Amino acid sequence: MHNVAWKLGLVVALAGCAGSQPASTTTFGPASEPQALASSQPAAQASPPIPAPAAPTPFAQIETARVTSATAAAPPASAANASNSVAFATRHAYYASARFADLPGWNTDDLGGSWDAFKRSCSVLGSRAGWSDPCAASRSVDAGNAAAIREFFEAYFNAYQIRNTDRSGDGTLTGYYEPLLNGSQQYGGAFLYPIYGTPDDMLYLDARRLPDSAHGSASAARIEGRTVIPLTGVTPGDARRVYVLDLRDSVPDIRDKKIRLRLDHDRIVPYYTRAEIERGALKAPVLAYVDDPVMLYSMQVQGAGKVRMRDGTLRRFAYAEQNGQPFLPPVARTNGGGQRITVRGMDVEIDVQDEPSTGSAGNIPAQSARDAIGGVPDTRSQDDDEPVSPLLRGFKLASATPQSSGSVTPAIRPAGSGGAAGETSSGPGVSKTGDAGAGKAGALANTPVKRVFAVSDPSYVFFRLTPDSPNGPVGALGVPLSAGRSVAVDPRTTPLGAPVFVSTRADPQAPGAINRLMMAQDSGGAIRGAVRADYFYGFGQSAQTQASRTKERIQMWVLLPKGLPISARDAALKTRGGGESESSADCVVSDPQLCVDDTP
C-alpha cells in the first residue's frame, strides 16, 4: 500500500509539470509507454522508440493506468513468499535461477502475441496446484497491454535457465508444421497408403510396476482389458489365464511410463515395428488412404496433418497413439536411392522398398473390397503363425500407379478396388487379366507379392480424426497450437503448458533470429533433451519451407509459477545446496497425464 501511495504521489507531481515539457521530448515506446519510463532500465534492455501517436495520451493518465495494471497483477502474499528462486536439478537437466532482465529481448518481445497461447495453457492447468492463482489473475490483465502482461509474468513466475546436465546452456531449435496431403476414403489408383487409427490389439503395461525378475528374462503376466498385469509367481490351480511376458528390449514412453505390447498366442511381446506394420502385420482401422508415402511419414513425425479428400473437403488428423518403439531417424546417405525430406531439423531418407513374396500370401481367400474401408477384417484362421494386415488378407497384390515424384512404388491393393467389380486402377504394372481372377485364390499364387515399407525407423504413429478449425492442431497438452508461439519440448525437462523463453545464439538482427516467449504445448519422439525446442510454424507450404530451414543454437528459460510444488527445488532449499547434487526425479513436475515420474 505504501508503494502504491508513493507512486500516486509521483503521478500528481509529474502531472503538475507535464504542461511545461516540450512535446518533442516525449517519445513513446511499446504499449504507449513513455520512453522516459523505460530509461530506468539498462541501455541494452531499452525498447527501440516508435513514432508517437497522433494524439498522445497525457502522461498522468498513462502512469495511472500503469499503476492500476501493476496492482491488478500483484500476486497474493502466499505466491510472493513461495518464490523459492533457487537452482535445482533433475536427472535430465539443471535449472539455474535467473532474473527476467537476463532474458535476451525480454523487454522488447511483444508478449501480447503469446497471450492467447498462455490462456490456452490455463484452460488445462488452471485448476492444478500452483497454477490456479496466476491463471485466475490473468483474467484481469489487459491482453492489449504488453507492459501489463510483462509485469504479470514477473509477478507470478520465477525464471530458470534450462541447462544440460553438464551445466552447459546451449541446445537446438528446429521447426515443424502441419502438412497437407491428398487422400481418399476408398483404396485405389494412387491412394494406396493407409492412415491408421489406434490398433485394436494394443496392450499397455505400466513399467513402474514391473518386478525386477521381469527385466532381461521372461516372466508371467495376465491381461485385464487392455492392461497387462505382471505376476510375481503362479500357484498351482490358479484359474486365471497366464501368459509369458517377453519384454525383450522394450522402452517405456517418457510421458506415461507405459510399454506398448501385443498378444502373440501365449506370449505378450512388444508391439509391431514399422517394418512389420508395413509388411502387413497390423489390426487397426483405416481412416483414409493417401498418395504419397514420404509425406505420410512426414505427417507421422510432425504428429498431425490435414488431408484434402477427392471431393475437396479437408480432414484433420491428430496424434492418437504410437507403437512404443523408439524413434530412430533414417539418416540420409550420400548418393542414396531413397526420397529425401527434412523433418524437425533432420535430413532423412525414406527407403520405399519392394520385398518378394514368401509364397504364404498366395493362398489367402478373397474378401469383399469394403473390408479395406474399416480396416479390420472379419475373420482370421487360428492356424496362422503371423497376424495379417487388413490390407493384405483378402486383397490382390499388384504394382502401384506412379507417384508425382516419378518413381513407381509397389503396394498392396485390395481386390475389386478402383471402381466397379473387375475394374482396375490405370497405371503401369496393373494387369487386367490378373484382376479378372481376383476372386480366385488359385490365381493369386502366381501374382508377385510387392510390399512397401520404410525399414530404418521402428516407430509408427497412429491418428484420430478431429474437427477442422482455423486454430492449429491439438498438441500433447490437449489444446490447439499457436503458430509462432507454441513449441514442442521434452516434457521431462520442460513442463507442458509452461511459458518458455527461447533465444537463438545468432545475431538478434540476423534472419531467422528468435527471442520470444512461447508456450510448451507439444512433444514428440524426436524432441529429447534439456535445451531442446521445436518451433511450430503453422499449416501449409510456407510453414513447411520455414520449418525445413530451421536449425539453430539456442538457450532456453522456463517460467514456473511461484507457488508450483517442485520436489527437486524443495530438496535443494532444505540442503541449502542450490541444487548442487543431482536429483533422482525424472520430471520437473510429476503429473498423471503430462509427465508421470518413475516412482508409482
Side-chain angles (χ1 to χ4, degrees):
M1 291 298 294
H2 294 292
N3 187 38
V4 173
W6 179 86
K7 286 189 174 182
L8 289 175
L10 176 62
V11 170
V12 173
L14 291 173
C17 61
S20 62
Q21 291 181 339
S24 59
T25 62
T26 305
T27 304
F28 286 78
S32 298
E33 198 169 9
Q35 192 66 31
L37 294 179
S39 65
S40 62
Q41 300 294 332
Q45 304 294 334
S47 303
I50 62 175
T57 306
F59 193 99
Q61 293 182 22
I62 294 172
E63 177 61 13
T64 301
R66 195 180 75 84
V67 171
T68 301
S69 67
T71 303
S78 59
N81 294 334
S83 61
N84 296 337
S85 183
V86 62
F88 64 94
T90 65
R91 191 186 310 166
H92 308 288
Y94 177 80
Y95 300 84
S97 177
R99 302 176 305 162
F100 280 92
D102 296 332
L103 279 56
W106 171 254
N107 287 329
T108 57
D109 180 27
D110 180 10
L111 299 184
S114 66
W115 195 241
D116 282 345
F118 174 74
K119 298 298 285 287
R120 290 177 182 177
S121 288
C122 276
S123 69
V124 173
L125 303 176
S127 61
R128 306 191 186 194
W131 285 94
S132 57
D133 284 348
C135 286
S138 68
R139 301 188 190 106
S140 62
V141 176
D142 180 3
N145 188 336
I149 295 173
R150 186 172 292 106
E151 290 171 357
F152 164 80
F153 283 116
E154 292 176 356
Y156 278 90
F157 290 80
N158 287 323
Y160 297 90
Q161 184 181 8
I162 307 175
R163 297 183 183 177
N164 302 301
T165 53
D166 63 1
R167 310 295 173 88
S168 61
D170 282 2
T172 303
L173 175 74
T174 54
Y176 72 115
Y177 70 104
E178 188 178 22
L180 175 64
L181 292 80
N182 297 314
S184 171
Q185 184 65 43
Q186 303 289 335
Y187 185 105
F191 303 103
L192 307 170
Y193 308 100
I195 298 175
Y196 285 117
T198 302
D200 303 317
D201 59 348
M202 184 175 286
L203 304 175
Y204 304 90
L205 168 63
D206 188 339
R208 302 173 302 165
R209 303 188 181 279
L210 276 173
D212 292 338
S213 59
H215 295 279
S217 62
S219 58
R222 57 190 175 88
I223 300 175
E224 292 184 1
R226 287 198 175 193
T227 302
V228 176
I229 310 296
L231 301 176
T232 55
V234 181
T235 58
D238 194 334
R240 297 174 298 180
R241 179 70 184 272
V242 177
Y243 300 90
V244 176
L245 180 60
D246 182 6
L247 296 178
R248 302 174 191 172
D249 298 324
S250 297
V251 178
D253 183 89
I254 64 172
R255 281 184 57 190
D256 62 17
K257 303 301 184 289
K258 292 181 181 178
I259 300 173
R260 273 62 177 168
L261 304 165
R262 65 181 176 87
L263 182 62
D264 182 13
H265 298 291
D266 63 344
R267 301 176 73 83
I268 301 172
V269 298
Y271 204 74
Y272 301 116
T273 64
R274 172 178 295 276
E276 291 172 321
I277 291 172
E278 298 288 8
R279 288 187 177 108
L282 187 64
K283 182 180 180 182
V286 176
L287 306 180
Y289 298 94
V290 297
D291 63 353
D292 190 336
V294 176
M295 286 302 296
L296 176 58
Y297 179 80
S298 175
M299 175 174 159
Q300 290 187 352
V301 177
Q302 314 290 342
K306 290 185 180 183
V307 177
R308 181 185 288 114
M309 305 300 286
R310 280 177 160 177
D311 61 3
T313 60
L314 282 179
R315 294 188 181 182
R316 172 174 264 170
F317 296 91
Y319 174 96
E321 190 49 273
Q322 196 256 0
N323 65 341
Q325 300 288 340
F327 173 78
L328 299 175
V331 179
R333 300 166 297 179
T334 303
N335 299 324
Q339 298 184 49
R340 299 176 69 155
I341 189 171
T342 300
V343 289
R344 289 190 140 164
M346 299 169 292
D347 186 18
V348 303
E349 184 173 293
I350 313 301
D351 291 322
V352 184
Q353 302 179 5
D354 305 348
E355 183 171 276
S357 170
T358 59
S360 61
N363 296 321
I364 298 171
Q367 296 180 7
S368 65
R370 65 177 178 270
D371 289 341
I373 306 305
V376 180
D378 297 330
T379 60
R380 179 187 170 194
S381 170
Q382 295 182 355
D383 297 328
D384 289 344
D385 290 333
E386 294 292 336
V388 179
S389 164
L391 292 181
L392 179 62
R393 195 166 75 259
F395 296 170
K396 178 171 175 55
L397 305 170
S399 297
T401 305
Q403 303 298 299
S404 58
S405 61
S407 61
V408 178
T409 47
I412 300 166
R413 186 173 64 82
S417 67
E423 294 183 2
T424 69
S425 59
S426 58
V430 180
S431 168
K432 289 190 177 182
T433 302
D435 286 346
K440 300 177 181 179
L444 294 176
N446 297 324
T447 303
V449 178
K450 304 226 179 179
R451 298 167 182 160
V452 179
F453 57 95
V455 296
S456 50
D457 178 12
S459 68
Y460 200 94
V461 170
F462 308 102
F463 293 93
R464 58 189 174 91
L465 186 64
T466 61
D468 192 17
S469 75
N471 298 321
V474 175
L477 182 64
V479 301
L481 303 180
S482 300
R485 290 291 178 172
S486 294
V487 288
V489 296
D490 186 331
R492 299 169 300 178
T493 59
T494 305
L496 286 176
V500 180
F501 195 86
V502 175
S503 175
T504 54
R505 298 287 286 166
D507 180 354
Q509 304 302 320
I514 296 172
N515 291 289
R516 64 172 57 187
L517 184 68
M518 306 185 194
M519 301 298 147
Q521 296 176 326
D522 203 5
S523 62
I527 312 304
R528 301 288 182 94
V531 190
R532 181 72 174 93
D534 205 26
Y535 182 109
F536 177 65
Y537 278 96
F539 167 73
Q541 183 61 49
S542 176
Q544 177 182 0
T545 300
Q546 292 176 297
S548 65
R549 294 174 179 172
T550 300
K551 192 167 188 179
E552 302 284 347
R553 290 175 60 212
I554 59 164
Q555 291 184 333
M556 288 174 59
W557 289 260
V558 61
L559 276 54
L560 300 177
K562 291 181 177 179
L564 185 68
I566 303 174
S567 58
R569 182 187 62 190
D570 295 342
L573 281 168
K574 289 179 181 178
T575 61
R576 296 184 180 181
E580 293 299 321
S581 59
E582 181 178 303
S583 169
S584 61
D586 189 58
C587 305
V588 176
V589 180
S590 182
D591 185 277
Q593 284 83 40
L594 303 179
C595 188
V596 175
D597 225 317
D598 284 341
T599 304

